[in-house]
Amino acid sequence: MYRPSLVVTFTKKSSVKMAKLTSLFVILLSFFCISEAVFEDQVGKFDWRQQYVGKTLFAHFESNTQSSKKMFVATDKNIFASFNSRTGDLLWRHVDKTGPEGSIDILLLHGQDALMVVGDGRLLRSWDTNIGGLNWEAVLDTGSFQAACFVAIQDTVKLVAVLKKAAISLHYLSNGHQKWVENLPDSDAVQYQAVYSGGEEEVYVLGVVPNSHLTIIAYSLEDGEIIKQRSVEASWLSSIESSCVVVGQGVLMCVDPATLALYTLPIQAEETPEFSQILLQSLDLEVFPGFQPVLVSSQPHPARSPLSEFFLQLGPDHHVLLQLNADGYTIAPLRDFQPAFLVSFATTGKKTVAAVMTPKNETACAINLFSVDSGRRLLDTTVLFPLEPNGGKPHTLYVHAFLKKDDSVGYRVLVQTQDHALTFIQQPGRVVWTREEALADVVTMEMVDLPLTGTQAELEGEFGKKAAIQDGLFPMVLKRLSSQVTLLQAWLAHLWKLFYEARKPRSQVKNEVTIETLSRDEFNLQKMMVMVTASGKLFGIDSKSGSILWKHYLENVQPNAAFKLIVQRTTAHFPHPPQCTLLIKDKDTGLATLHVFNPIFGRKSHIALPALPRPILQSLLLPVIDQDYAKVLLLVDDQYKVTAFPSTKNVLQQLQEMASSIFFYLIRSDQGNLSGFRLRKDLSTERIWEVVLPTEVQKIVAVKGKRPNEHVHSQGRVMGDRSVLYKYLNPNLLAVVTESTDTHPERAFVGVFLVDGVTGRIIHEAVQRKARGPVHFVHSENWVVYEYWNTKSRRNEFSVLELFEGTELYNSTVFSSLDRPHLPQVLQQTYIFPSPITTMEATLTEKGITSRHLLVGLPSGAILSLPKMFLDPRRPEVVTEHSREENLIPYAPEMPIRTEWFINYNQTVARVKGIYTAPSGLESTCLVVAYGLDIYQTRVYPSKQFDVLKDDYDYVLISSVLFALFFATMISKRLAQVKLLNRAWR
Amino acid sequence: MASVPRSFLLLSIIPTILILCADFACCNTGRKTGDGLDTDFSGFSVPLEHSFEVDDVSRFRMRGALQLRGGRETSVSLSQSQLSEEDRKTLKEVAAVDGLYKIRVPRVSLTDRQTERQMDGYLTAFVRACSLVESHLSDVITLHTDVSGYLIGVSIVTIPGACRGTEVEDEVDLEAFNTTLTIIAPTNAPQPETALFIERMDIEHEKRGKPQEQKSFFAKYWYLILGGAIFLMASSSAQPSAGGAEEQQS
């Protein structure tokens, strides 16, 4: 069990016992650290993981048969993945580097090979789509990526052409070897944007000098020799990418929004070619005002030329199917689609069809297939796509067409909506699965208690204050009786359900969680996870099963917006519904909007929102509550004026009374400025303190206060000599972390400042020399733990700061920042940590009795539960009697990583971004959610389950012993009586 | 460290107190060595201003002058005048309405004297006026510097710090400040103590005594091997045919 090489910590119960019995060393160790491993039968019982891929950029289906199950997507999160199209489950997934280095430029699919250009033309990769293995990888020459296409030689696809800014290269599909590479002529002036091959002996490169002319170069496939080079006058053309496609037998088709005309040009023409103009007016077509027309064409097979039919989009919901006639410069309209949101071509065998999505009614869209040759609608091909009321609009259509047994065309369709959700629909309109890919980028989250059941709530309501005042005695009695009856009803219903389910086999009994059946469990272990994603979609997820119970897409959210989620009213105030507020702040303008909703049902509340005309600097949640039990949110704008939400009379009055004791701080990291403010009665503010860290020396990278819902059970620590060392528990303390502007390894440093948020007093100021970020830190109770990179020793280190008041308290009843004249004692120790980390959080429990653990997210995807015991600055260098008495672990410079501390065993969480901890109703249990690309939910027991009876607890033995004792007492009593009587007779 | 200023506080009644913060070798290490040598050690003075108004609008007035001295040993001293009759009255009034007593010092650098010493802006701190009155103007002012000698913060606390509502009758108690002044530079956070740990391990190893010499496998178990060999030889010579027959059968 303690073997360090153990990667996956499934442990059988018997082996644990064996290990403990046999190895004295293990027993010694288990004094210090609590074993954390998951038993094999516990896997997946209290935890779940969901894997995501992100917003789809490219999607392809495996092959055009009805039985194929695979589809492939490449996403904006630099992920190449394969789904099972029947279930929507991930078959395999490749997670590349984040950022532009791993970005996927293009994904091409041919047979069993998936070709991918990665990192703006850095690498060319070929994947085996069956198993997701890498066939080969080729490093491309430098230069930014422009386009790529397959190239066929004599009807078989053998090559891939990659066009870069200044060069074109051909690679063999079989092994990635380069066939040839050629520099493009005059690449400084000409922007080469497209590459085309239609199965001939040449490959064509198209470039443009904006608003001047078009350049066409034909390269020989054999050796890369330039066969011909043409220049065509095109003063109206600015970009080939956005306005041109190739249709028919190598005809370049462009659309010009200025002259409202289509232009055609045969690419392969021998003599000097020229664009021929076709006015849209002549085709009876009109462009929606202000809309940039878009052309959509299709090349079903790389060895043949593209279809001569193409779509022209004339407005947001107007598409036209056009056909290029055989002469190469006249166009015939086939069918007008209005309204139509989305169109797509799909090919199966020799047949090509067009799928068109049209709005049907408020709640659904209809998708139909049309024959490309004639524009006629194919019968029985309608599929309905349900539109969710709070979802995004359809964005892209991916069609998987196949030939049925009777040779007619069947299809399935994948619809991507604006909120990054993927919906897969089968004929006749059945939604097979939906993937909420917005969850791949969770920004912030909260866990909210579930409400009581209806009957419990009824009882609560009966004894509510308001009810008692309103009603008289008699109605109260009646109410009581009726609630008793409902309780009885509920109990009977429960019994009936138990009886009914007992007859069914175990496997059929499913506890489907729906929003109606949601209720708090006995120990409050099941909660509602409210997740906010970067795309602006909100989710309500059941923490027990991981099923999404509600979703709400906020439109018009800027892509770089900052979110802050605030729980204003918890579930505890029946009949008032719980209330969450999401503060959405535009990073550029600083303007903020509020979205107020019920976290259990996701519905938007219709509360009057305050007008926020000025940029918001800071928001703070006060412990003050209004008459409806909602906590008051204060928003500070850039003129230091305060807006209260809710701003009822009651609240304003309370604020006036408390104004002189409401302090807040603002931090401007660009100026290194920390300043404190006090609220005035008229809701203006006054600046009362100011600390300035010169930005020439160091810059503020992060500031953390303490969590408001944190409880600390013990005020001090009992030392070996039975005296108490009191903790410095300042709820207003801020930990400010800075990094030096000088990045030289010898002079770089990380600064840690502990500042009182009320008085601005610098409690402690420490400098970690020869260190640099990224700094991850946790601030809780009386300690701060931070992790940094040691530039001298080139390793990651953990440092812990603990603050103590000393052996006596200054004022034991109440803490006030205004009345603590003495500075605390600060103890600090540093350790080597053998791994880099990505995020860190501390466990949190109901009453704070349970010992604390640090949850550390590692780049490997593991989440380490590190006992705080190991990060204790009082760990002695030399073991003494006192330190042994206190159970202090002797100091060791290196922090161990034990594999049994990984709380997510083999369920790695890719790209962990944050860890959220929440207390449960059980003191021993802390709920943990790790999010990043994946979402993982589990429970941790930092001090083991001391308040829970074990599963194998022997009830029978205990009760039988009890009964036996009871009867023994009875019998012996009786015997004693008989004996006494006999003695009396004697 | 903390006990030093307190003992001073108890002993002294004079309005001006000099506290030299001696041993702060750490705040020198970040500096370039040349800086300390170039500067003349006369030091320089910056104003310490205070503000206490009934309407809580800051109007800063001169309270005293801080004598700052950079160089190898950073030191600071304060000379301040007594409070005027009017000031004493205002202070008591401010204390009565639970107003604030604020102080501020300009942002300066203690070391970098060639360039512009004074940057724009001030560092501000406050204390409740009532606690200042009730402590009979006994305050502790701390100046914080960063690694390169810039002043980054100032703090003021009174001892005792609480407001109990006790009346200060004697006007004499509010005449002169009884100030303790310190300057604090950042402490160096510890590095992992590898050297000490290794030393300790070595000592423990030595204590346990030298481990027994590593004998070779044969040296250790020669008797077993010999015994086994003899046994094998004896058994094979006794029943050679029986063993062979069994092998054939299986």
Side-chain angles (χ1 to χ4, degrees):
Chain A
M1 170 155 184
Y2 290 96
R3 266 178 297 159
S5 62
L6 209 65
V7 179
V8 183
T9 47
F10 295 119
T11 356
K12 291 220 165 118
K13 284 179 187 176
S14 57
S15 70
V16 176
K17 280 175 191 161
M18 283 290 284
K20 280 196 176 163
L21 281 172
T22 48
S23 163
L24 196 80
F25 177 64
V26 167
I27 292 168
L28 203 94
L29 256 179
S30 61
F31 258 109
F32 299 128
C33 57
I34 297 108
S35 71
E36 283 272 347
V38 180
F39 293 119
E40 198 173 358
D41 57 342
Q42 285 179 331
V43 166
K45 203 171 169 189
F46 305 117
D47 62 315
W48 50 262
R49 177 179 66 163
Q50 288 170 357
Q51 292 184 303
Y52 294 96
V53 295
K55 179 190 173 187
T56 303
L57 299 179
F58 307 97
H60 291 284
F61 293 92
E62 190 193 22
S63 61
N64 294 316
T65 59
Q66 193 169 0
S67 58
S68 73
K69 278 185 192 165
K70 277 187 212 139
M71 50 176 293
F72 311 98
V73 294
T75 70
D76 68 337
K77 296 259 176 278
N78 306 349
I79 285 160
F80 178 44
S82 172
F83 295 141
N84 181 340
S85 64
R86 298 288 159 85
T87 59
D89 295 337
L90 268 183
L91 293 171
W92 44 259
R93 180 178 77 170
H94 290 286
V95 182
D96 206 340
K97 286 174 187 154
T98 50
E101 218 179 331
S103 69
I104 296 167
D105 299 320
I106 197 166
L107 173 68
L108 299 167
L109 196 73
H110 182 261
Q112 299 293 326
D113 298 330
L115 261 286
M116 214 159 83
V117 179
V118 179
D120 197 17
R122 196 169 52 91
L123 294 170
L124 179 67
R125 284 186 184 144
S126 166
W127 302 92
D128 184 329
T129 54
N130 272 333
I131 51 164
L134 185 68
N135 287 333
W136 48 260
E137 180 181 85
V139 181
L140 299 175
D141 293 342
T142 51
S144 68
F145 173 80
Q146 296 296 329
C149 76
F150 285 120
V151 176
I153 301 173
Q154 287 154 2
D155 235 27
T156 50
V157 179
K158 279 185 181 161
L159 298 164
V160 60
V162 180
L163 180 70
K164 299 260 206 136
K165 199 173 181 321
I168 177 170
S169 57
L170 253 70
H171 298 262
Y172 289 101
L173 271 190
S174 52
N175 51 20
H177 290 173
Q178 197 175 62
K179 188 174 165 82
W180 51 259
V181 61
E182 287 297 325
N183 284 330
L184 297 165
D186 201 16
S187 61
D188 293 334
V190 185
Q191 295 174 14
Y192 292 97
Q193 290 176 336
V195 58
Y196 164 73
S197 158
E200 303 89 356
E201 289 299 302
E202 302 100 33
V203 56
Y204 296 90
V205 174
L206 306 175
V208 64
V209 178
N211 304 318
S212 170
H213 62 270
L214 177 88
T215 306
I216 303 172
I217 306 169
Y219 284 96
S220 159
L221 277 188
E222 210 43 57
D223 50 5
E225 195 187 331
I226 294 179
I227 297 173
K228 57 192 172 193
Q229 188 170 358
R230 303 262 183 280
S231 180
V232 188
E233 184 71 23
S235 58
W236 44 271
L237 186 65
S238 58
S239 164
I240 301 174
E241 238 175 343
S242 62
S243 53
C244 295
V245 291
V246 181
V247 294
Q249 302 292 327
V251 176
L252 187 69
M253 176 76 65
C254 296
V255 61
D256 177 30
T259 54
L260 296 176
L262 290 171
Y263 290 88
T264 57
L265 173 84
I267 294 172
Q268 290 133 320
E270 287 303 319
E271 67 277 19
T272 319
E274 240 177 70
F275 274 109
S276 55
Q277 191 191 41
I278 303 159
L279 286 175
L280 288 177
Q281 223 169 2
S282 68
L283 299 165
D284 281 339
L285 298 175
E286 245 181 76
V287 176
F288 188 79
F291 187 81
Q292 163 92 35
V294 181
L295 287 163
V296 182
S297 72
S298 168
Q299 186 176 11
H301 196 273
R304 316 234 161 70
S305 52
L307 296 176
S308 54
E309 291 82 12
F310 59 97
F311 273 109
L312 174 63
Q313 189 179 6
L314 296 164
D317 60 347
H318 187 194
H319 291 81
V320 195
L321 182 64
L322 301 169
Q323 188 176 36
L324 182 73
N325 291 336
D327 57 12
Y329 50 86
T330 57
I331 289 170
L334 286 178
R335 193 169 179 136
D336 197 350
F337 297 102
Q338 192 177 21
F341 292 140
L342 300 171
V343 294
S344 175
F345 285 108
T347 306
T348 172
K350 294 255 187 295
K351 285 187 185 174
T352 300
V353 289
V356 179
M357 181 187 261
T358 52
K360 188 177 165 70
N361 52 33
E362 289 282 294
T363 57
C365 283
I367 303 164
N368 282 295
L369 284 194
F370 293 86
S371 156
V372 162
D373 313 324
S374 59
R376 266 186 299 120
R377 195 166 81 87
L378 301 177
L379 290 176
D380 297 331
T381 56
T382 309
V383 159
L384 286 185
F385 171 70
L387 280 178
E388 281 177 40
N390 294 317
K393 291 196 176 62
H395 183 264
T396 324
L397 206 60
Y398 301 99
V399 181
H400 178 214
F402 49 84
L403 284 177
K404 289 189 197 160
K405 278 175 193 140
D406 58 352
D407 219 29
S408 64
V409 179
Y411 73 114
R412 302 187 187 105
V413 63
L414 182 74
V415 184
Q416 187 186 5
T417 44
Q418 281 171 333
D419 53 3
H420 305 176
L422 292 175
T423 310
F424 193 68
I425 306 169
Q426 206 171 27
Q427 272 179 299
R430 189 171 69 87
V431 173
V432 186
W433 49 262
T434 305
R435 287 185 67 93
E436 291 293 349
E437 291 301 341
L439 283 171
D441 199 353
V442 174
V443 182
T444 177
M445 68 167 292
E446 283 288 342
M447 270 186 162
V448 183
D449 292 350
L450 290 177
L452 302 165
T453 55
T455 45
Q456 283 169 322
E458 182 113 346
L459 275 180
E460 288 275 328
E462 189 196 344
F463 299 113
K465 266 189 213 161
K466 281 180 185 171
I469 297 161
Q470 280 166 8
D471 303 336
L473 186 69
F474 188 63
M476 285 279 281
V477 174
L478 273 184
K479 222 177 182 182
R480 184 75 219 255
L481 285 175
S482 72
S483 61
Q484 295 282 16
V485 169
T486 41
L487 272 182
L488 187 72
Q489 263 179 348
W491 186 64
L492 285 176
H494 178 70
L495 278 187
W496 170 248
K497 200 181 161 203
L498 273 185
F499 173 70
Y500 190 73
E501 275 174 3
R503 294 189 309 172
K504 281 202 260 178
R506 181 63 58 93
S507 58
Q508 280 183 18
V509 182
K510 263 190 196 168
N511 284 325
E512 278 282 307
V513 186
T514 58
I515 241 167
E516 286 76 30
T517 59
L518 270 186
S519 67
R520 200 179 303 176
D521 61 333
E522 222 172 328
F523 298 119
N524 202 3
L525 288 164
Q526 188 180 7
K527 295 197 180 199
M528 177 66 84
M529 293 159 53
V530 180
M531 296 193 125
V532 181
T533 62
S535 64
K537 195 167 189 184
L538 312 184
F539 291 90
I541 299 174
D542 169 38
S543 74
K544 199 173 185 181
S545 61
S547 51
I548 296 168
L549 296 177
W550 58 263
K551 43 201 168 188
H552 190 109
Y553 179 57
L554 301 172
E555 278 171 80
N556 310 322
V557 168
Q558 299 300 316
N560 64 345
F563 297 92
K564 187 173 178 183
L565 186 61
I566 302 140
V567 182
Q568 275 197 291
R569 182 166 54 219
T570 59
T571 336
H573 305 286
F574 186 83
H576 300 289
Q579 181 180 322
C580 273
T581 301
L582 181 68
L583 182 74
I584 307 153
K585 185 174 153 183
D586 193 307
K587 266 188 190 150
D588 298 330
T589 61
L591 290 175
T593 50
L594 293 177
H595 173 71
V596 184
F597 62 100
N598 178 335
I600 305 299
F601 303 107
R603 283 194 290 264
K604 191 178 175 182
S605 348
H606 300 287
I607 290 180
L609 295 175
L612 302 169
R614 302 209 62 84
I616 296 297
L617 296 180
Q618 171 79 295
S619 67
L620 59 156
L621 192 67
L622 297 182
V624 180
I625 51 170
D626 71 346
Q627 71 271 32
D628 291 339
Y629 306 100
K631 283 184 184 164
V632 176
L633 182 70
L634 289 189
L635 301 163
V636 186
D637 66 19
D638 65 342
Q639 291 184 333
Y640 309 115
K641 285 268 189 316
V642 171
T643 312
F645 171 71
S647 57
T648 56
K649 211 182 241 175
N650 177 308
V651 169
L652 294 178
Q653 196 186 337
Q654 284 192 60
L655 281 180
Q656 273 191 1
E657 282 163 19
M658 297 184 60
S660 64
S661 60
I662 296 174
F663 298 86
F664 61 90
Y665 64 91
L666 290 177
I667 287 160
R668 302 206 54 173
S669 56
D670 55 333
Q671 296 167 5
N673 187 311
L674 294 89
S675 44
F677 294 82
R678 182 160 83 151
L679 198 66
R680 285 200 184 131
K681 286 196 166 35
D682 58 347
L683 293 191
S684 64
T685 56
E686 62 171 320
R687 189 186 294 248
I688 49 173
W689 60 264
E690 203 167 357
V691 167
V692 186
L693 303 171
T695 46
E696 306 91 80
V697 182
Q698 53 196 331
K699 55 182 191 295
I700 299 171
V701 288
V703 178
K704 268 188 196 170
K706 286 177 188 170
R707 290 179 64 165
N709 58 345
E710 177 185 272
H711 294 274
V712 181
H713 181 71
S714 93
Q715 288 282 313
R717 288 183 56 168
V718 181
M719 292 193 294
D721 58 358
R722 297 281 174 248
S723 64
V724 177
L725 188 62
Y726 287 101
K727 296 173 182 170
Y728 179 77
L729 296 168
N730 183 349
N732 308 315
L733 198 65
L734 303 174
V736 180
V737 171
T738 63
E739 273 182 53
S740 62
T741 40
D742 192 347
T743 51
H744 187 273
E746 280 297 312
R747 293 189 295 272
F749 65 87
V750 165
V752 178
F753 298 82
L754 300 179
V755 181
D756 189 300
V758 170
T759 62
R761 190 179 184 197
I762 298 174
I763 303 291
H764 184 68
E765 193 184 345
V767 168
Q768 196 80 48
R769 302 265 175 199
K770 293 172 187 130
R772 82 178 150 74
V775 181
H776 301 275
F777 68 111
V778 175
H779 180 200
S780 178
E781 275 187 61
N782 64 328
W783 47 264
V784 177
V785 171
Y786 60 93
E787 186 263 7
Y788 59 91
W789 172 257
N790 186 327
T791 51
K792 191 189 173 203
S793 312
R794 294 170 169 277
R795 63 192 177 200
N796 289 88
E797 287 177 5
F798 255 122
S799 193
V800 57
L801 275 162
E802 272 194 36
L803 296 109
F804 292 101
E805 289 219 0
T807 46
E808 47 190 282
L809 275 177
Y810 179 78
N811 178 353
S812 56
T813 50
V814 68
F815 187 95
S816 167
S817 285
L818 297 169
D819 180 18
R820 283 279 142 150
H822 307 300
L823 285 174
Q825 299 170 13
V826 181
L827 302 176
Q828 186 168 13
Q829 236 172 31
T830 307
Y831 316 89
I832 301 162
F833 193 68
S835 164
I837 75 169
T838 52
T839 185
M840 186 155 66
E841 188 55 80
T843 59
L844 195 65
T845 52
E846 181 88 3
K847 297 268 182 276
I849 299 168
T850 310
S851 60
R852 308 292 293 270
H853 276 203
L854 285 173
L855 299 169
V856 184
L858 305 180
S860 62
I863 294 161
L864 185 76
S865 181
L866 187 67
K868 172 69 180 55
M869 237 179 180
F870 280 89
L871 289 155
D872 182 350
R874 302 187 58 248
R875 282 174 68 175
E877 302 265 344
V878 181
V879 185
T880 61
E881 196 62 42
H882 284 321
S883 71
R884 209 170 287 140
E885 182 87 16
E886 256 188 276
N887 259 343
L888 291 174
I889 310 161
Y891 180 79
E894 193 173 19
M895 189 72 61
I897 292 184
R898 304 228 169 91
T899 43
E900 70 269 16
W901 287 350
F902 291 149
I903 58 170
N904 56 343
Y905 45 105
N906 63 351
Q907 307 272 331
T908 51
V909 187
R911 294 188 193 152
V912 193
K913 206 166 64 179
I915 296 174
Y916 179 88
T917 52
S920 73
L922 281 174
E923 172 54 33
S924 64
T925 311
C926 169
L927 304 175
V928 178
V929 181
Y931 54 88
L933 191 60
D934 304 341
I935 297 173
Y936 180 74
Q937 191 278 144
T938 190
R939 301 171 188 174
V940 290
Y941 318 99
S943 299
K944 282 190 178 172
Q945 287 182 286
F946 61 82
D947 51 0
V948 178
L949 287 181
K950 285 208 175 93
D951 284 345
D952 54 356
Y953 184 76
D954 206 339
Y955 294 96
V956 180
L957 183 74
I958 291 287
S959 43
S960 57
V961 164
L962 232 132
F963 276 113
L965 277 173
F966 178 72
F967 284 116
T969 338
M970 295 284 282
I971 292 161
S972 58
K973 205 176 172 186
R974 177 78 195 140
L975 286 177
Q977 272 178 351
V978 169
K979 200 176 178 186
L980 269 178
L981 192 68
N982 285 344
R983 194 182 288 161
W985 275 111
R986 209 174 286 156
Chain B
M1 185 57 243
S3 66
V4 177
R6 236 182 290 159
S7 60
F8 261 98
L9 186 85
L10 293 171
L11 290 171
S12 55
I13 331 153
I14 42 165
T16 311
I17 291 174
L18 308 176
I19 292 280
L20 302 186
C21 231
D23 186 35
F24 272 114
C26 51
C27 66
N28 292 329
T29 46
R31 258 178 261 147
K32 287 164 214 143
T33 45
D35 283 357
L37 301 171
D38 290 344
T39 52
D40 53 328
F41 286 90
S42 60
F44 56 98
S45 119
V46 291
L48 172 70
E49 293 167 294
H50 61 175
S51 155
F52 42 97
E53 300 294 335
V54 180
D55 58 356
D56 267 350
V57 177
S58 305
R59 276 184 286 274
F60 283 97
R61 298 183 295 277
M62 196 65 145
R63 170 174 160 177
L66 286 166
Q67 286 291 329
L68 293 165
R69 199 187 293 266
R72 291 234 169 269
E73 288 180 358
T74 313
S75 68
V76 61
S77 61
L78 173 66
S79 58
Q80 54 191 352
S81 49
Q82 296 191 339
L83 278 182
S84 67
E85 182 90 15
E86 200 183 332
D87 282 346
R88 287 202 295 267
K89 217 176 110 198
T90 327
L91 188 61
K92 283 184 100 173
E93 277 169 16
V94 173
V97 297
D98 195 16
L100 301 182
Y101 172 84
K102 294 180 215 166
I103 57 163
R104 73 174 187 190
V105 290
R107 290 176 60 199
V108 290
S109 166
L110 298 184
T111 51
D112 202 3
R113 302 200 44 200
Q114 309 303 330
T115 58
E116 206 177 321
R117 182 190 300 153
Q118 194 163 334
M119 291 156 287
D120 54 330
Y122 288 89
L123 305 167
T124 325
F126 76 98
V127 71
R128 287 165 81 190
C130 57
S131 67
L132 189 69
V133 170
E134 282 178 35
S135 66
H136 306 283
L137 303 188
S138 313
D139 55 355
V140 180
I141 295 176
T142 315
L143 298 169
H144 296 268
T145 66
D146 71 354
V147 277
S148 47
Y150 288 106
L151 274 192
I152 57 162
V154 60
S155 75
I156 176 169
V157 288
T158 59
I159 294 178
C163 280
R164 292 203 172 75
T166 47
E167 279 288 309
V168 180
E169 292 297 334
D170 199 355
E171 286 281 318
V172 182
D173 285 341
L174 293 182
E175 259 179 13
F177 283 101
N178 176 8
T179 306
T180 314
L181 191 65
T182 47
I183 185 156
I184 294 182
T187 53
N188 269 344
Q191 301 281 333
E193 296 274 1
T194 37
L196 238 152
F197 181 73
I198 292 165
E199 207 174 286
R200 208 182 73 206
M201 294 288 276
D202 286 345
I203 291 168
E204 263 175 42
H205 255 277
E206 276 172 29
K207 261 191 201 165
R208 250 184 250 159
K210 281 177 189 170
Q212 287 187 346
E213 289 169 29
Q214 288 294 315
K215 287 181 186 170
S216 72
F217 181 76
F218 285 103
K220 262 186 190 168
Y221 302 112
W222 63 270
Y223 49 94
L224 283 178
I225 294 162
L226 193 71
I230 291 168
F231 178 74
L232 273 176
M233 275 165 67
S235 60
S236 62
S237 60
Q239 284 179 321
S241 58
E246 262 173 41
E247 267 172 36
Q248 275 171 4
Q249 272 171 10
S250 66

